[in-house]
Amino acid sequence: MAVREITYREALKEAMREEMLRDETIFLIGEDIADPHGGSYKVTAGLSTEFGLDRVIQTPISEQGFIGTAVGAALMGRRPVAEILYIDFCTMAMDQIVNQAAKIRYMSGGQAKVPLVIRTQGGMGRSSAAQHAQSLEAWFVHTPGLLVAMPSTPYDAKGLLKTAIRLDDPVIFIEHKLLYNTKGPVPEEEYTIPFGVADVKREGRDCTVVATSRTVLMALEAAEALEREGISVEVVDPRTLFPLDVETIVGSVKKTSRLVVVHEAVERCGFGAEVVAQVAEKAYGYVDAPIVRVCAPSVPAPFARQMEDYVMVDAKKIADRVRQLVRGEI
Amino acid sequence: MSAKKTEATTEAPPEDLTREQLLGMYRRMRLIRAFEDKAKERFEAGEIAGFLHLSQGQEAVPVGVCWALGPRDYITSTHRGHGDVIAKGCEVKRMFAELYGRATGYCKGKGGSMHIADFSQGIIGATGIVSGSLPTSVGIGMGIKQRGGDEVVVCFFGDGATAEGGFHEALNLASLWQVPVVFVCQNNLYGLSQPWEKTAYKCDLVARVGTYHIPGECVDGMDVIAVHRAARKAVERARRGGGPGFIEAKTYRFLGHYVGDPALYMPAEEREAWRKRDAIVKLRGQLLAWGYLTEAEDEAMGAEVAAEIEAGVEYAKASPLAAPETALDELYVHFDYLGNPR
């Protein structure tokens, strides 16, 4: 396979472009997504020029309205890919996401399907402060009827987005604002990544780190540092938070007998709690140390860089916790 | 409906509606009233669970509107949606089955009173969230437009929805994108217990909606013919590509917000005055006066409607209960409720 290095941004754009060429019922909808603006994070740049403004529909600042529009169009057999600029703004559209998109199939007794993808991005690291830096994935994982993906690499971003667009269920597809410029190998040939299949990003013996989105990169950095100290870390990236590949996570913990769960969202009732519970239920007796979470404390994202750094997960915090765990200091 | 007394009409029969059409509307209005009367009775007898939001008094609105629609057109509805879905073509027997939690119900017992849907007839489920269906209706209109269809979607909602953000976002987008949506506000004068005049300052809805450049009309919601004419105009315009339309139908909720609500906030004299304007009674009087209906035919129709309702309840009761474990079905297309691939 021919593999080149492209950015996370380019990988996402390729996924949408290829799918739009394949299926004319797919259309994009959102704020500022058309050219010349091309999306606030430039993910959709060029697509309106190529496909026209009927397939790349620019909307007013109107999240409830255009997500509702996407839901209705999905009910009509169209395949909308909506973009909510910041995951924080999902709050404006929560009725349409949670009460409508997630429920219509179920409450109609299976008469309908909602093939809708909502692309959005979250995460800290740019001094974006409390209303532009949240990680709200747990809200959506907690809502029956939604699928949730959080890719960490360009390869995963492309393969998962193509799958998301082809699925007939509503998908919340959460990107990370600091991943758009990261580069990685992406094959030129067509490929997709199934939902519910975790990726072991690095194999190891002493401790399993389950990490999501950008924290996967931090976990890999931590694993590399720890390797030099003789500690071997296995990094598991669930890639989709629902469906969740519990089997791979549990299998890894059974092998390493230690677990650290990492995410940028606040710890309280975060996605990590679900991972911990699954492991407690399914690998009880295999775990030789306390299960530890490395997450943000339960405060809003602060603005000042030093404060944001203080609350945000990083490679050092992950490495410190893993080291303590492996040395039996916790 | 027991009321027999009717006021004589001096109007001539309408030229734009046949006797058959008018009798059809009349029968459908009676069917809605009888369905809800029976549902209330069975609910009070403890046979039906959950909530019942009844629409007694409002029947002329959905019937008048849906008579302007074809089988391929769509409607969305609200928590008070029994009348809307019957007007579009839902069968009462499968509606009763839904209320009774039976496997034969429209939603297999998963939706209940607030979510009855029949996608095969363009009846997109009712939603329990006030104004929730307005943005979705814009999307249905967009979907129709994208696939080059000439169908129209009617979005029913109450006056309460007009204070919600979703109302304004939907109107703005519908107008911006010129989608074939007819917004029909069933202004029954109450949102929960709040009288209309206390929820919107000196509001003229047609004028308010007009600022979005959506043509609108305010009609007497107790006059099915007036409602129908307004709907026909708006639906035909939308079908021709003329963009969205709006109808405010002034009507009245004869009962409280839900069965069990004593509705102490609705003044007795106001209720009495509106009951005297009952749309079903009015149409009956007109049909009799025009020689379109005899007392004997009217009674026969009443018996027929009552029989349909009774048969519906019997069908529901004879149907198997939805199996408890089916609660875990039909959430996702591709996965089971735990996330395992299907």
Side-chain angles (χ1 to χ4, degrees):
Chain A
M1 282 223 285
V3 176
R4 69 261 132 90
E5 296 251 322
I6 60 172
T7 63
Y8 189 88
R9 171 187 293 111
E10 286 163 335
L12 291 162
K13 188 190 303 182
E14 275 192 3
M16 287 186 276
R17 181 173 179 273
E18 288 175 16
E19 292 303 298
M20 288 173 82
L21 286 169
R22 184 185 59 78
D23 180 351
E24 64 169 22
T25 67
I26 296 165
F27 70 94
L28 313 184
I29 185 165
E31 295 156 6
D32 275 355
I33 62 173
D35 296 324
H37 202 73
S40 288
Y41 284 90
K42 302 289 175 207
V43 179
T44 52
L47 295 177
S48 70
T49 301
E50 180 172 0
F51 293 98
L53 292 171
D54 290 336
R55 304 248 344 246
V56 181
I57 299 171
Q58 183 127 308
T59 72
I61 299 167
S62 194
E63 286 83 6
Q64 183 179 357
F66 78 73
I67 294 297
T69 300
V71 173
L75 290 172
M76 291 296 102
R78 315 306 292 181
R79 307 190 78 87
V81 180
E83 179 181 301
I84 290 189
L85 191 44
Y86 285 77
I87 199 169
D88 315 69
F89 309 161
C90 283
T91 53
M92 305 302 293
M94 279 307 256
D95 171 52
Q96 290 300 322
I97 299 171
V98 171
N99 290 321
Q100 315 297 339
K103 305 286 194 291
I104 290 172
R105 175 172 174 75
Y106 185 79
M107 68 188 187
S108 69
Q111 292 181 56
K113 56 184 188 182
V114 184
L116 161 68
V117 179
I118 298 176
R119 283 184 46 245
T120 186
Q121 58 81 27
M124 284 190 258
R126 271 187 54 173
S127 281
S128 309
Q131 295 168 342
H132 290 70
Q134 296 177 83
S135 296
L136 301 178
E137 60 272 13
W139 290 5
F140 302 111
V141 180
H142 193 65
T143 301
L146 301 175
L147 307 178
V148 181
M150 277 187 104
S152 65
T153 65
Y155 177 85
D156 291 349
K158 182 173 178 185
L160 289 170
L161 184 54
K162 283 171 74 87
T163 300
I165 291 170
R166 294 179 192 190
L167 288 170
D168 289 327
D169 295 314
V171 178
I172 309 296
F173 194 92
I174 306 171
E175 300 156 14
H176 193 292
K177 54 174 70 66
L178 286 181
L179 286 178
Y180 288 122
N181 288 329
T182 57
K183 278 192 158 189
V186 175
E188 281 182 19
E189 290 78 10
E190 157 91 13
Y191 72 98
T192 57
I193 298 171
F195 272 38
V197 179
D199 186 35
V200 178
K201 289 276 192 274
R202 178 191 177 104
E203 297 205 12
R205 296 178 310 276
D206 301 325
C207 182
T208 297
V209 174
V210 174
T212 58
S213 190
R214 183 167 169 249
T215 68
V216 173
L217 307 193
M218 301 170 187
L220 288 170
E221 194 186 326
E224 209 155 292
L226 290 166
E227 189 74 51
R228 293 193 285 272
E229 303 171 21
I231 297 171
S232 167
V233 176
E234 179 145 308
V235 178
V236 180
D237 177 359
R239 301 197 288 198
T240 58
L241 277 48
F242 189 84
L244 178 63
D245 182 355
V246 175
E247 203 178 320
T248 297
I249 293 168
V250 166
S252 175
V253 173
K254 284 182 176 177
K255 183 173 84 172
T256 65
S257 76
R258 293 184 188 90
L259 175 62
V260 174
V261 187
V262 185
H263 56 62
E264 273 196 36
V266 300
E267 184 174 88
R268 187 166 67 209
C269 279
F271 176 70
E274 173 66 17
V275 175
V276 172
Q278 291 285 350
V279 169
E281 285 172 16
K282 299 188 174 74
Y284 183 77
Y286 291 89
V287 187
D288 288 345
I291 299 176
V292 169
R293 287 177 284 174
V294 182
C295 316
S298 290
V299 294
F303 160 72
R305 179 145 296 176
Q306 70 281 10
M307 282 198 277
E308 187 177 43
D309 287 346
Y310 181 76
V311 301
M312 195 170 64
V313 173
D314 60 28
K316 184 176 178 303
K317 286 173 189 167
I318 299 168
D320 287 348
R321 294 300 271 171
V322 172
R323 191 183 297 112
Q324 288 173 311
L325 199 65
V326 172
R327 291 181 182 165
E329 293 166 6
I330 301 178
Chain B
M1 188 200 58
S2 56
K4 283 272 176 190
K5 192 176 169 298
T6 56
E7 286 164 40
T9 178
T10 52
E11 294 166 45
E15 288 173 8
D16 53 344
L17 284 162
T18 65
R19 172 174 176 266
E20 285 64 37
Q21 286 173 313
L22 290 163
L23 285 173
M25 289 182 183
Y26 176 56
R27 188 184 188 285
R28 196 66 62 93
M29 285 161 66
R30 294 185 69 172
L31 186 65
I32 294 169
R33 179 73 56 87
F35 173 85
E36 291 201 320
D37 283 346
K38 179 59 76 175
K40 179 171 184 286
E41 175 198 301
R42 296 295 86 205
F43 180 85
E44 286 169 342
E47 290 179 13
I48 294 171
F51 273 120
L52 278 188
H53 303 92
L54 301 184
S55 66
Q56 272 100 338
Q58 304 179 202
E59 295 86 347
V61 185
V63 170
V65 169
C66 288
W67 236 256
L69 298 178
R72 292 184 304 112
D73 293 319
Y74 297 89
I75 66 161
T76 62
S77 179
T78 72
H79 59 288
R80 199 178 307 288
H82 299 147
D84 303 348
V85 303
I86 293 174
K88 184 67 165 71
C90 272
E91 290 181 286
V92 294
K93 64 176 189 176
R94 292 195 59 200
M95 290 175 66
F96 277 121
E98 185 61 28
L99 298 187
Y100 275 86
R102 307 293 159 145
T104 52
Y106 273 111
C107 309
K108 303 179 188 170
K110 293 193 174 82
S113 166
M114 283 192 278
H115 306 297
I116 293 171
D118 183 0
F119 277 67
S120 71
Q121 299 198 76
I123 300 164
I124 308 301
T127 176
I129 309 293
V130 170
S131 93
S133 64
L134 281 108
T136 321
S137 299
V138 175
I140 296 167
M142 178 178 276
I144 292 167
K145 229 179 144 174
Q146 286 181 342
R147 67 190 189 195
D150 67 348
E151 305 97 319
V152 170
V153 53
V154 165
C155 174
F156 289 111
F157 55 97
D159 44 296
T162 65
E164 291 254 29
F167 170 78
H168 297 277
E169 291 197 26
L171 291 180
N172 185 47
L173 294 180
S175 169
L176 183 67
W177 292 329
Q178 292 290 295
V179 289
V181 182
V182 177
F183 296 98
V184 178
C185 178
Q186 299 173 310
N187 189 344
N188 64 17
L189 301 189
Y190 287 90
L192 299 169
S193 70
Q194 290 291 301
W196 164 242
E197 68 273 10
K198 289 190 178 170
T199 60
Y201 181 67
K202 291 184 181 178
C203 181
D204 172 350
L205 274 177
V206 170
R208 180 177 278 189
V209 171
T211 64
Y212 293 104
H213 293 274
I214 295 176
E217 202 174 326
C218 181
V219 296
D220 177 2
M222 307 310 264
D223 180 347
V224 72
I225 297 170
V227 172
H228 175 69
R229 283 176 177 152
R232 204 166 52 197
K233 214 188 308 173
V235 167
E236 280 170 10
R237 187 178 53 237
R239 205 185 296 291
R240 286 195 315 266
F246 171 73
I247 294 166
E248 179 193 13
K250 294 272 196 197
T251 182
Y252 195 71
R253 196 179 76 196
F254 285 173
L255 301 172
H257 173 50
Y258 52 89
V259 177
D261 172 9
L264 301 174
Y265 49 85
M266 297 167 90
E269 52 280 15
E270 178 190 277
R271 295 174 83 161
E272 193 47 40
W274 278 93
R275 275 193 180 273
K276 281 190 182 145
R277 302 195 53 231
D278 190 328
I280 299 177
V281 177
K282 178 186 168 91
L283 182 59
R284 178 176 178 274
Q286 289 171 314
L287 292 169
L288 289 169
W290 297 330
Y292 284 1
L293 182 74
T294 65
E295 292 281 358
E297 286 167 341
D298 186 44
E299 244 169 72
M301 184 193 284
E304 200 185 291
V305 165
E308 187 174 341
I309 295 297
E310 278 310 321
V313 172
E314 276 166 35
Y315 171 85
K317 288 184 172 177
S319 291
L321 283 167
E325 63 274 19
T326 60
L328 306 182
D329 293 343
E330 288 164 327
L331 184 59
Y332 301 99
V333 177
H334 301 282
F335 302 95
D336 69 13
Y337 80 105
L338 290 172
N340 301 310
R342 283 194 190 281

